[in-house]
Amino acid sequence: MTLFVERRRPAFTPDLFVRVALAWLVISALLIATNLSAILAYQFPDPDDTLRLLQVRDLIAGQAWFDVTQHRIDAVNGGVPMHWSRLVDLPIAAVVLALRWLIGQSAAETAALIIVPLATMAVALLLAGRIAWRLLGEEAAGFACLAMALSVPVIEQMRPMRIDHHGWQIVCALAVMNALMARRPYVGGWIAGLAMATWLSISIEGLPLAAAICGVTALRWLRDRHDRDWFVGTMQGLAIGSLALFAATRGFADLAQHCDAISPAHLGAFSLGALAATGLARLEPLPRFAQVTGFALIAALGAATLASFAPGCTTGAFSQLDPLVDAFWYRAVGEGLPVWRQPANDILQVVIPPLIALAACIRLAGRSSGWLRRWWQDYALVLGAAFLVSVFVVRAGAVAGALAAAPLGWLVREWLRSARNLRKPGRRVLMMAALALALLPAMPLTLFAIALPARAASGEIGPRVSECRIDRGATVFRHLPTGEILAPIDVGPQLLFATDRTVVATGHHRGAAAMRTTIATFIGPADAAHATLAARGTRYVAICPDLSEPATYSAAAPHGFMAELLGGSSPAWLEPVATPGDSGLLVWRVRD
């Protein structure tokens, strides 16, 4: 049995940078090539990416730093305040401002849509590769980068045009794991805490995993009282980092207890936890029972603080959505649903690599000793927590996939070495098949689908792509009077991007009232829709008929407003507006 001992290499070396840079160049070239048509057509992967660029545009145009309201959404009611962090806006704005004087605003934005996601991926590759480099060797570092590149949940969040916050969440998670590898507990704990503070400032979705990481640092204290600085440093870094980032990105004008972003209740819980952890450390040496009791009290103190000052947040950020919005929007957002609600392809890609990586962590812990054994045990706990979160919210699979990269890199190296030494071709084939399954878990389903010519001929493989080109159809608004547009929720951001108009709603839950108006209008009768639009002063209606959202409304209300529009029998109070024939966008003007 191979025995691993303490072998942490220097933090960064030229060889590590070279290996990661080569992997990044190859992956970037492939991603640009495969996404080139989307880049040229300005087809964003998700409405959130469109709205993120609009938020950056507004910032560059002079909107206040602390004002993250989208004033062109539900404008008649003052706009929709967003819960997004300005931290994610900074790199996008930096690229645009650095290049626009040279190549113009539009080209600078296109460059940012390519540069920022690929730069995010470069940082993530470096952090994942560094874990494997320091603990497992050069080959494993290269294979860790390969595992990252082949992880669909990871690459989906860092491909060109994907500028929303999910890629930075991956970076923060990997930064935490690198910090937990530090030689000095207090410094490593502080860095881990600051990385988690940044993560939570970007997206509060990281809160369950942040709690698990704090638990791991507490476990280190339990195993060895000399490691108490891990927990103390982490809690202090999380509390002070969160306070600093809140002041820098949110300001103190809005001190409401929001459930979808770090708010005063969260800051209070973090601060009390840090103070309690510091005080508990001062009481050492303590009996084991006293330590465990102290940790339980710290956790209870944080939970009680949240429950007291933000009781509505104990059931989740979306628990109080209007039933109509919940049914037609929230439950239709696939990436927010549990893994068992996903297609088989996605289930395999989210589930198999982290599970194989977990098994690799357990093997590494069993074959190691001393510090390294404890490290792989801790890594398995964090990876396991990330995997459990992804089971219930599938978009979290990107973090689990990134954390799986280092142990998968080691496992691939071991399997390749074993395959070279196997003399029987059958066993070698089985070993290579296992390797392919670990890196490309959906490949068997893909091959099976290709092998079914009847399905292939019928075009049933893969999701149907909309032919609607909003950017082309929206050119008609240049020649029309100013006015608000009623459109399906997912179409709203693209209309905002392609025009200077306002829309009733987009898919962002702080604008739930306007979302309810949109949904109720489309599924209700045409006469009620006319009354609603007249009361708001809405001037236009626009839809892409081949998207799933209009079909959902039509199926729910076969005699409703949307069903009439899709059926080609628009009510008399709507006047059709001619749009370019290749756009697929249908537009009507509300008659006075």
Side-chain angles (χ1 to χ4, degrees):
M1 181 182 71
T2 305
L3 182 67
F4 292 98
V5 295
E6 169 72 48
R7 56 172 296 173
R8 276 173 285 186
R9 292 165 174 248
F12 295 101
T13 67
D15 196 14
L16 171 63
F17 282 113
V18 169
R19 286 177 181 270
V20 171
L22 289 174
W24 177 78
L25 286 171
V26 172
I27 299 166
S28 297
L30 289 172
L31 287 175
I32 291 173
T34 54
N35 289 275
L36 187 58
S37 60
I39 295 169
L40 295 176
Y42 254 73
Q43 292 178 336
F44 291 87
D46 189 272
D48 283 355
D49 300 300
T50 312
L51 205 60
R52 176 68 69 177
L53 184 56
L54 288 172
Q55 181 164 295
V56 172
R57 275 185 180 178
D58 293 340
L59 177 65
I60 292 174
Q63 186 164 325
W65 172 261
F66 294 122
D67 179 11
V68 289
T69 299
Q70 283 297 318
H71 295 283
R72 290 199 290 145
I73 304 172
D74 195 20
V76 297
N77 291 309
V80 174
M82 302 297 290
H83 63 285
W84 290 351
S85 172
R86 284 293 191 197
L87 292 178
V88 181
D89 296 343
L90 282 175
I92 306 167
V95 173
V96 173
L97 290 173
L99 295 179
R100 70 175 182 176
W101 67 273
L102 184 65
I103 59 177
Q105 178 79 16
S106 179
E109 288 180 353
T110 303
L113 293 171
I114 300 171
I115 292 171
V116 172
L118 295 184
T120 309
M121 182 178 64
V123 179
L125 284 173
L126 180 61
L127 292 172
R130 181 177 180 265
I131 294 172
W133 171 268
R134 294 194 75 187
L135 303 180
L136 301 168
E138 298 92 338
E139 261 191 305
F143 287 128
C145 292
L146 175 65
M148 283 268 288
L150 294 177
S151 174
V152 173
V154 173
I155 291 302
E156 276 293 312
Q157 304 300 346
M158 293 186 288
R159 62 189 177 101
M161 307 292 287
R162 187 65 167 140
I163 56 171
D164 200 23
H165 58 265
H166 300 288
W168 293 115
Q169 291 178 253
I170 295 170
V171 167
C172 290
L174 291 168
V176 171
M177 298 315 296
N178 274 264
L180 295 181
M181 197 167 52
R183 293 181 183 274
R184 291 186 290 171
Y186 191 63
V187 174
W190 255 88
I191 296 173
L194 291 174
M196 284 194 293
T198 305
W199 184 356
L200 296 177
S201 178
I202 291 171
S203 173
I204 203 168
E205 288 179 352
L207 194 57
L209 200 49
I213 292 165
C214 290
V216 165
T217 61
L219 178 62
R220 289 186 173 186
W221 184 351
L222 282 174
R223 285 190 304 221
D224 184 346
R225 67 178 71 255
H226 296 100
D227 281 343
R228 61 182 177 272
D229 283 346
W230 279 112
F231 184 66
V232 174
T234 299
M235 295 300 293
Q236 290 177 351
L238 174 60
I240 295 177
S242 295
L243 284 166
L245 287 170
F246 185 89
T249 62
R250 298 284 178 185
F252 299 100
D254 179 12
L255 296 179
Q257 306 296 352
H258 297 295
C259 301
D260 56 6
I262 293 298
S263 299
H266 301 97
L267 297 178
F270 297 159
S271 300
L272 289 174
L275 289 171
T278 305
L280 188 65
R282 297 282 180 89
L283 299 177
E284 281 283 27
L286 289 168
R288 179 65 58 85
F289 175 77
Q291 287 179 322
V292 173
T293 302
F295 294 143
L297 289 174
I298 290 172
L301 183 63
T305 302
L306 281 175
S308 299
F309 292 95
C313 298
T314 57
T315 53
F318 300 98
S319 61
Q320 298 180 0
L321 277 178
D322 178 273
L324 201 63
V325 177
D326 181 75
F328 281 89
W329 173 70
Y330 182 59
R331 297 186 185 280
V333 179
E335 66 178 20
L337 297 176
V339 73
W340 58 85
R341 298 277 302 277
Q342 307 300 322
N345 242 28
D346 295 346
I347 293 173
L348 293 175
Q349 290 164 351
V350 170
V351 170
I352 289 182
L355 286 180
I356 294 176
L358 268 174
C361 286
I362 294 169
R363 285 184 60 191
L364 282 164
R367 299 168 69 172
S368 305
S369 64
W371 175 88
L372 200 54
R373 177 192 293 270
R374 297 190 297 274
W375 157 260
W376 286 116
Q377 290 170 345
D378 293 347
Y379 200 99
L381 290 172
V382 176
L383 176 56
F387 172 70
L388 283 176
V389 173
S390 71
V391 167
F392 293 98
V393 181
V394 76
R395 64 170 163 257
V399 171
L403 294 178
L408 280 179
W410 170 79
L411 197 60
V412 168
R413 185 194 69 184
E414 295 299 295
W415 282 351
L416 285 175
R417 287 179 178 178
S418 298
R420 295 189 198 109
N421 297 327
L422 289 174
R423 295 183 178 180
K424 294 184 177 181
R427 291 186 177 180
R428 187 177 299 176
V429 170
L430 286 175
M431 183 69 73
M432 298 307 293
L435 191 153
L437 183 65
L439 296 177
L440 298 167
M443 185 174 63
L445 281 182
T446 303
L447 295 175
F448 181 71
I450 293 172
L452 294 177
R455 286 191 64 194
S458 67
E460 293 178 12
I461 297 176
R464 183 171 179 273
V465 178
S466 170
E467 296 180 1
C468 191
R469 289 296 305 271
I470 297 173
D471 56 331
R472 295 174 184 170
T475 56
V476 301
F477 288 102
R478 298 174 186 169
H479 313 292
L480 294 172
T482 301
E484 182 182 68
I485 306 170
L486 171 72
I489 289 169
D490 286 341
V491 171
Q494 192 67 26
L495 284 170
L496 292 175
F497 182 80
T499 73
D500 61 353
R501 307 308 167 91
T502 63
V503 299
V504 176
T506 59
H508 299 92
H509 63 274
R510 288 198 183 180
M515 293 168 69
R516 190 193 190 288
T517 297
T518 297
I519 297 167
T521 301
F522 279 130
I523 65 175
D527 289 345
H530 188 199
T532 298
L533 299 186
R536 290 181 63 92
T538 305
R539 299 289 300 273
Y540 305 100
V541 177
I543 65 170
C544 285
D546 64 348
L547 289 176
S548 60
E549 188 181 345
T552 299
Y553 297 148
S554 179
H559 303 291
F561 180 43
M562 178 62 79
E564 286 193 26
L565 296 179
L566 293 179
S569 57
S570 58
W573 52 269
L574 284 181
E575 175 188 353
V577 176
T579 57
D582 60 348
S583 72
L585 183 70
L586 300 181
V587 178
W588 294 266
R589 177 164 45 191
V590 179
R591 298 182 189 273
D592 296 331

